[in-house]
Coordinates of all heavy atoms in Angstrom, one line a residue:
V317 N -7.7 0.8 -3.8 CA -9.0 1.2 -4.4 C -8.8 1.4 -5.8 O -7.7 2.0 -6.2 CB -9.5 2.5 -3.7 CG1 -10.9 2.9 -4.4 CG2 -9.7 2.4 -2.2
I318 N -9.8 1.1 -6.7 CA -9.7 1.4 -8.1 C -10.9 2.4 -8.4 O -12.0 2.1 -8.0 CB -9.9 0.1 -8.9 CG1 -8.8 -0.9 -8.7 CG2 -10.1 0.4 -10.4 CD1 -9.0 -2.2 -9.4
G319 N -10.5 3.5 -9.1 CA -11.6 4.4 -9.5 C -11.6 4.6 -11.0 O -10.5 4.9 -11.6
V320 N -12.7 4.4 -11.6 CA -12.8 4.5 -13.1 C -13.8 5.7 -13.4 O -14.8 5.9 -12.7 CB -13.3 3.2 -13.8 CG1 -12.2 2.2 -13.7 CG2 -14.6 2.7 -13.2
S321 N -13.5 6.4 -14.5 CA -14.3 7.6 -14.8 C -14.6 7.6 -16.3 O -13.8 7.0 -17.1 CB -13.4 8.8 -14.4 OG -13.9 10.0 -15.0
G322 N -15.6 8.3 -16.7 CA -16.0 8.5 -18.1 C -17.0 9.6 -18.3 O -17.8 9.9 -17.4
L323 N -17.0 10.2 -19.5 CA -17.9 11.3 -19.7 C -19.0 10.9 -20.7 O -20.1 11.5 -20.8 CB -17.1 12.5 -20.3 CG -17.9 13.8 -20.5 CD1 -18.2 14.5 -19.2 CD2 -17.2 14.7 -21.4
I324 N -18.7 9.9 -21.6 CA -19.7 9.7 -22.7 C -20.4 8.3 -22.5 O -19.9 7.4 -21.8 CB -19.0 9.7 -24.1 CG1 -17.8 8.7 -24.1 CG2 -18.6 11.1 -24.5 CD1 -17.2 8.5 -25.5
T325 N -21.6 8.2 -23.1 CA -22.4 7.0 -22.8 C -21.7 5.6 -23.0 O -21.8 4.8 -22.1 CB -23.6 7.0 -23.8 OG1 -24.1 8.3 -23.9 CG2 -24.7 6.1 -23.4
P326 N -20.9 5.4 -24.0 CA -20.3 4.0 -24.1 C -19.3 3.7 -23.0 O -19.0 2.6 -22.7 CB -19.5 4.1 -25.5 CG -20.1 5.2 -26.2 CD -20.6 6.2 -25.2
S327 N -18.9 4.7 -22.2 CA -18.0 4.5 -21.1 C -18.7 3.7 -20.0 O -18.1 2.9 -19.3 CB -17.5 5.8 -20.5 OG -16.8 6.5 -21.4
L328 N -20.1 3.8 -20.0 CA -20.8 3.0 -19.0 C -20.6 1.5 -19.2 O -20.4 0.7 -18.3 CB -22.3 3.3 -19.1 CG -22.7 4.8 -18.8 CD1 -24.2 5.0 -19.1 CD2 -22.5 5.1 -17.3
D329 N -20.6 1.1 -20.5 CA -20.4 -0.3 -20.9 C -19.0 -0.8 -20.4 O -18.8 -1.9 -20.0 CB -20.4 -0.5 -22.4 CG -21.8 -1.0 -22.9 OD1 -22.6 -1.2 -22.0 OD2 -21.9 -1.1 -24.1
Q330 N -18.0 0.1 -20.6 CA -16.6 -0.2 -20.3 C -16.5 -0.4 -18.8 O -15.8 -1.3 -18.3 CB -15.7 0.9 -20.7 CG -15.4 1.0 -22.2 CD -14.7 -0.2 -22.7 OE1 -14.0 -0.9 -22.0 NE2 -15.0 -0.5 -24.0
M331 N -17.2 0.4 -18.0 CA -17.2 0.2 -16.5 C -17.8 -1.1 -16.1 O -17.3 -1.8 -15.2 CB -17.9 1.4 -15.9 CG -17.2 2.7 -16.1 SD -18.2 4.1 -15.4 CE -17.2 5.5 -15.9
V332 N -18.9 -1.5 -16.8 CA -19.5 -2.8 -16.5 C -18.5 -3.9 -16.8 O -18.3 -4.9 -16.0 CB -20.8 -3.0 -17.4 CG1 -21.3 -4.5 -17.2 CG2 -21.8 -2.0 -17.0
H333 N -17.7 -3.8 -17.9 CA -16.7 -4.7 -18.3 C -15.6 -4.8 -17.2 O -15.2 -5.9 -16.8 CB -16.1 -4.3 -19.6 CG -15.0 -5.2 -20.1 ND1 -15.1 -6.6 -20.2 CD2 -13.7 -4.9 -20.4 CE1 -13.9 -7.1 -20.6 NE2 -13.1 -6.1 -20.7
V334 N -15.2 -3.7 -16.7 CA -14.2 -3.7 -15.6 C -14.7 -4.4 -14.4 O -14.0 -5.3 -13.8 CB -13.8 -2.2 -15.2 CG1 -12.9 -2.2 -13.9 CG2 -13.1 -1.5 -16.3
A335 N -16.0 -4.2 -14.0 CA -16.5 -4.9 -12.8 C -16.6 -6.4 -13.1 O -16.2 -7.2 -12.2 CB -18.0 -4.4 -12.6
K336 N -17.0 -6.8 -14.3 CA -17.1 -8.3 -14.6 C -15.7 -8.9 -14.5 O -15.5 -10.0 -14.0 CB -17.6 -8.5 -16.0 CG -19.1 -8.2 -16.1 CD -19.6 -8.4 -17.5 CE -21.2 -8.3 -17.6 NZ -21.6 -8.3 -19.0
E337 N -14.7 -8.2 -15.1 CA -13.3 -8.7 -15.0 C -12.8 -8.8 -13.6 O -12.1 -9.8 -13.3 CB -12.4 -7.8 -15.9 CG -12.5 -8.0 -17.3 CD -12.2 -9.4 -17.8 OE1 -11.0 -9.7 -17.9 OE2 -13.1 -10.2 -18.0
M338 N -13.1 -7.8 -12.8 CA -12.7 -7.9 -11.4 C -13.3 -9.1 -10.7 O -12.6 -9.8 -9.9 CB -13.1 -6.6 -10.6 CG -12.2 -5.4 -11.0 SD -12.8 -3.8 -10.3 CE -12.2 -4.0 -8.6
E339 N -14.6 -9.4 -11.0 CA -15.2 -10.6 -10.4 C -14.6 -11.9 -10.9 O -14.2 -12.7 -10.1 CB -16.7 -10.5 -10.8 CG -17.6 -11.6 -10.2 CD -17.7 -11.6 -8.7 OE1 -17.6 -10.4 -8.1 OE2 -18.0 -12.6 -8.1
R340 N -14.3 -11.9 -12.2 CA -13.7 -13.1 -12.8 C -12.4 -13.4 -12.3 O -12.0 -14.6 -12.1 CB -13.6 -12.9 -14.4 CG -13.2 -14.1 -15.1 CD -13.2 -13.9 -16.6 NE -12.2 -12.9 -17.1 CZ -11.0 -13.3 -17.3 NH1 -10.6 -14.6 -17.2 NH2 -10.1 -12.4 -17.8
L341 N -11.6 -12.4 -12.0 CA -10.2 -12.5 -11.5 C -10.1 -12.6 -10.0 O -9.0 -12.6 -9.4 CB -9.3 -11.4 -12.1 CG -9.2 -11.4 -13.6 CD1 -8.6 -10.1 -14.1 CD2 -8.4 -12.6 -14.1
G342 N -11.3 -12.6 -9.3 CA -11.3 -12.7 -7.9 C -10.8 -11.5 -7.1 O -10.2 -11.6 -6.0
F343 N -11.0 -10.3 -7.6 CA -10.6 -9.1 -6.9 C -11.6 -8.9 -5.7 O -12.7 -9.3 -5.7 CB -10.8 -7.9 -7.8 CG -9.5 -7.6 -8.6 CD1 -9.2 -8.3 -9.7 CD2 -8.7 -6.5 -8.3 CE1 -8.1 -8.0 -10.5 CE2 -7.6 -6.2 -9.0 CZ -7.3 -7.0 -10.1
E344 N -11.1 -8.2 -4.7 CA -11.9 -7.8 -3.5 C -11.9 -6.3 -3.3 O -12.6 -5.8 -2.5 CB -11.3 -8.5 -2.2 CG -11.3 -10.0 -2.2 CD -12.6 -10.6 -2.0 OE1 -13.6 -9.9 -1.5 OE2 -12.8 -11.8 -2.4
L345 N -11.0 -5.6 -4.1 CA -10.8 -4.2 -3.9 C -12.1 -3.4 -4.2 O -12.9 -3.7 -5.0 CB -9.8 -3.6 -4.9 CG -8.3 -4.1 -4.7 CD1 -7.5 -3.5 -5.8 CD2 -7.8 -3.7 -3.4

Side-chain angles (χ1 to χ4, degrees):
V317 180
I318 295 173
V320 290
S321 168
L323 184 78
I324 54 171
T325 318
S327 299
L328 296 172
D329 263 0
Q330 288 296 331
M331 293 174 185
V332 173
H333 176 56
V334 170
K336 285 179 174 171
E337 285 298 282
M338 287 175 76
E339 185 66 25
R340 187 176 70 82
L341 297 167
F343 273 76
E344 300 285 342
L345 294 178

